[in-house]
Amino acid sequence: MPEVNSRHCLSFDIEEHFQVSAFESPMRRRHWEQYESRVEANTERLLGLLDEAGVRATFFVLGWLAERYPSLVRRIASLGHEIASHGYGHELITGQSAVAFREDIRRSKKILENILSQPVLGYRAPSFSITTDTMWATQILVEEGYVYDSSIFPVFHDRYGVPSGNPEIHQIFTVSGLLWEVPPSTVKYMGVRLPIAGGGYFRLYPYVILRTLLRKVEAKGSPLVMYLHPWEFDPDQPRMEGSLISRMRHYLNLDKTESRLRALLQDFRFSSIREVCPPISQFYSQCVVSAGFERNIFS
Ligand SMILES: [Zn+2]
């Protein structure tokens, strides 16, 4: 019987409700500044909920947002959460050149590190867009100083996923060095690998079923890797135009996310990726010393 891993990874992708890939259009992107911002209020609600439960998490923050709300980034970090990068402008890697991708992840890392005076070592691609076609991105992540990635979703999906991907936390060997991969959780059920890690799936399955599936992963000794977004806690957000499937995925059961997360936090023990994965913690300690960052990241 494998030892049950009692601590799991909880993560949030910090973005506005109008920045999600499901509603992406060049037209809408040009007007980002004109939409009502709801990310601060939604993130504050989330921080309160985590504080009540005494749980820390990893926050993958968009550089575009960090530039506009540096105090929000500082506040998240001051509560003991880990700050990581969600890229700068929420551009899918599948639509970027290698040069543009490098610029995007370099820019977001620099913005976040300048705000925090702490190393930023983790990355999650917009819409998990490291796929078989964009695997070159892993080498660039290493070259730009990232230590881990959480973007390779080992499932079939119309917009992302590497169905043959390794579902466990593992190392990827690139010509420029090693990258830790922290894939969102999946579970094999009746021969099919199901996504159970968060987002629309978290809101779709009845909670008791979700809990049973999560316990299956936990029983194997694997840490769960869950992800959610601040807009998922905001049932009153303005509705965007988009395809029927995109609207169904985005707006389904938004009024249930908060109570489900409360239940999840009662049933499982969560923390940030850096705290759950010892090799990643070690990299943070080394970076604080070698890059001359002043503050201890665990203080
Ligand atoms: Zn995103």
Side-chain angles (χ1 to χ4, degrees):
M1 182 86 180
E3 191 187 330
V4 171
N5 189 312
S6 57
R7 274 218 303 184
H8 304 290
C9 304
L10 182 64
S11 67
F12 298 92
D13 297 352
I14 303 302
E15 62 198 25
E16 295 276 15
H17 61 287
F18 51 80
Q19 292 175 316
V20 298
S21 303
F23 299 134
E24 171 71 21
S25 80
M27 236 287 272
R28 184 167 287 134
R29 180 173 284 273
R30 281 198 295 278
H31 294 95
W32 273 4
E33 298 282 3
Q34 291 166 22
Y35 287 100
E36 177 198 359
S37 173
R38 300 174 74 90
V39 73
E40 274 190 301
N42 290 336
T43 305
E44 282 297 341
R45 189 179 313 164
L46 201 47
L47 290 172
L49 204 153
L50 295 177
D51 191 45
E52 262 177 50
V55 170
R56 297 202 275 203
T58 296
F59 286 68
F60 293 93
V61 183
L62 268 191
W64 187 92
L65 276 180
E67 270 182 344
R68 285 156 180 80
Y69 304 103
S71 57
L72 179 65
V73 178
R74 274 187 221 104
R75 178 157 157 69
I76 297 169
S78 73
L79 294 170
H81 302 293
E82 176 189 11
I83 300 288
S85 165
H86 195 33
Y88 179 79
H90 215 267
E91 305 263 10
L92 298 185
I93 305 175
T94 39
Q96 281 184 308
S97 66
V99 172
F101 173 69
R102 186 187 296 277
E103 171 56 26
D104 183 283
I105 60 167
R106 182 182 291 177
R107 190 176 178 189
S108 66
K109 191 173 195 288
K110 198 168 167 195
I111 290 167
L112 293 168
E113 289 182 342
N114 283 346
I115 291 170
L116 296 168
S117 300
Q118 291 176 4
V120 167
L121 302 185
Y123 174 74
R124 176 171 292 147
S127 272
F128 303 104
S129 54
I130 298 187
T131 63
T132 312
D133 292 338
T134 56
M135 208 50 80
W136 46 261
T138 55
Q139 181 188 333
I140 298 177
L141 284 167
V142 174
E143 290 167 0
E144 292 302 317
Y146 288 90
V147 164
Y148 77 91
D149 170 70
S150 181
S151 313
I152 303 178
F153 214 146
V155 288
F156 277 106
H157 188 279
D158 55 343
R159 282 191 287 111
Y160 53 75
V162 178
S164 60
N166 183 342
E168 304 292 333
I169 296 174
H170 61 281
Q171 288 177 310
I172 295 176
F173 298 86
T174 80
V175 294
S176 298
L178 284 174
L179 184 70
W180 281 91
E181 178 59 32
V182 186
S185 290
T186 53
V187 65
K188 248 205 166 138
Y189 185 72
M190 313 250 293
V192 179
R193 187 158 288 289
L194 296 175
I196 49 168
Y201 309 111
F202 183 72
R203 290 176 279 122
L204 172 68
Y205 303 128
Y207 180 70
V208 280
I209 292 179
L210 182 74
R211 186 176 56 193
T212 305
L213 295 173
L214 294 173
R215 289 276 185 232
K216 245 176 96 106
V217 178
E218 183 179 59
K220 285 169 69 183
S222 308
L224 298 167
V225 180
M226 307 290 294
Y227 69 92
L228 287 160
H229 309 82
W231 52 261
E232 292 186 272
F233 295 81
D234 181 9
D236 301 326
Q237 66 191 270
R239 277 10 187 193
M240 311 291 286
E241 284 175 24
S243 68
L244 183 63
I245 182 85
S246 293
R247 281 184 284 129
M248 273 176 58
R249 281 174 179 159
H250 188 90
Y251 297 121
L252 177 78
N253 291 339
L254 289 178
D255 57 336
K256 296 194 172 72
T257 321
E258 184 170 331
S259 58
R260 283 187 183 191
L261 180 60
R262 283 182 193 281
L264 187 77
L265 297 183
Q266 281 211 331
D267 290 338
F268 298 87
R269 283 182 62 219
F270 284 98
S271 195
S272 60
I273 292 172
R274 79 173 173 211
E275 286 181 339
V276 173
C277 306
I280 292 173
S281 303
Q282 281 171 17
F283 274 108
Y284 269 105
S285 307
Q286 287 163 11
C287 285
V288 168
V289 175
S290 64
F293 287 101
E294 286 168 15
R295 276 183 282 163
N296 185 320
I297 53 166
F298 296 110
S299 64

